[in-house]
Amino acid sequence: VETKKTSEAEKVLQDGLRINPNQTGFALALSTLQFDGVPRVFDVFETEIDRQQTLCMTFEFIDGETLADQLAGRRTAPDYNATALQMAELAGIVQQIHSHHMCHWDLKPSNIMVDKSGKLWIVDFGLAVFTAERHLYHGVTVGTTPYMSPEQVGAEPSRDGRSDTWSLGAIFYQLLTGKPPFSGGSSELIRDAIRNGTLTPPRQIAP
């Protein structure tokens, strides 16, 4: 849940019926860092919502729209040069995140903001994890299905920052073609397609 508060926004991080201590530690660490293209975290606190202790973050409000909003409103072919520049910008932000031994694990158009100047911001670190602690999620599937790497689909212990790189590729494909590389049907069918690498080359969709 995100709510506008003048120049701040609030992110509620829920984990079942309890606060995940690893999530708390990650949020506190994130609040001490400043990345170009990641909103600043001003505060991390716990509160009770619906009789459940919940972790919240107050962070910098980005005035703009999501990349998903832009895709939904697009009526013409993409500007390929502009798209390439956007992807280079996103890759640079992800590289900064990875340089601090963090993985986002939920990169997708709705988690990328475009501010009024056109600058890109990666938001929603609700599933993010320290690389050294990724084993704590062994056997747990995390991510948004159309953008998940094969390792995420299989909840494999080898998941790391390379899954973010896979997600960037899926976003690039969607910016070029208008849809994710693996889409249509149930989540399980999409996961099977990801496991098998079954996709249509983008040139066949957007020559």
Side-chain angles (χ1 to χ4, degrees):
V1 177
E2 297 179 10
T3 57
K4 183 173 180 180
K5 293 182 177 180
T6 59
S7 62
E8 297 180 357
E10 188 175 282
K11 176 68 184 177
V12 178
L13 304 175
Q14 296 192 12
D15 177 47
L17 298 177
R18 62 184 178 81
I19 292 177
N20 184 335
N22 302 299
Q23 193 179 58
T24 304
F26 185 91
L28 289 170
L30 189 63
S31 70
T32 67
L33 302 173
Q34 284 196 13
F35 301 101
D36 184 27
V38 175
R40 289 172 296 164
V41 177
F42 298 128
D43 192 17
V44 178
F45 60 95
E46 297 179 12
T47 189
E48 186 174 299
I49 299 178
D50 296 331
R51 299 181 181 180
Q52 174 182 323
Q53 281 300 112
T54 304
L55 178 67
C56 300
M57 291 193 298
T58 302
F59 60 96
E60 180 180 6
F61 176 76
I62 306 301
D63 188 11
E65 61 182 350
T66 68
L67 204 55
D69 292 332
Q70 289 194 343
L71 281 164
R74 194 169 72 185
R75 297 292 181 266
T76 60
D79 181 326
Y80 296 118
N81 288 332
T83 298
L85 290 173
Q86 281 187 318
M87 290 309 304
E89 185 177 350
L90 282 175
I93 301 171
V94 172
Q95 184 179 36
Q96 289 183 82
I97 295 169
H98 290 176
S99 71
H100 288 276
H101 311 291
M102 299 174 173
C103 308
H104 188 281
W105 278 2
D106 198 22
L107 293 175
K108 56 185 176 181
S110 60
N111 281 344
I112 297 167
M113 295 290 298
V114 186
D115 70 17
K116 298 297 186 181
S117 71
K119 179 179 175 58
L120 300 178
W121 299 80
I122 292 178
V123 299
D124 197 343
F125 283 74
L127 297 179
V129 65
F130 286 114
T131 305
E133 295 181 344
R134 65 187 189 276
H135 65 281
L136 298 172
Y137 292 85
H138 177 60
V140 179
T141 301
V142 294
T144 300
T145 301
Y147 307 94
M148 288 166 61
S149 68
E151 292 78 15
Q152 285 176 288
V153 167
E156 298 178 14
S158 60
R159 289 172 296 180
D160 56 21
R162 290 171 292 184
S163 288
D164 289 338
T165 304
W166 173 283
S167 299
L168 285 177
I171 293 167
F172 194 13
Y173 185 105
Q174 184 171 2
L175 289 175
L176 294 174
T177 68
K179 64 179 184 179
F182 306 99
S183 59
S186 66
S187 292
E188 191 52 46
L189 286 175
I190 296 173
R191 291 178 185 184
D192 285 342
I194 292 172
R195 293 186 190 100
N196 299 327
T198 308
L199 60 80
T200 302
R203 285 188 179 276
Q204 293 184 19
I205 301 173

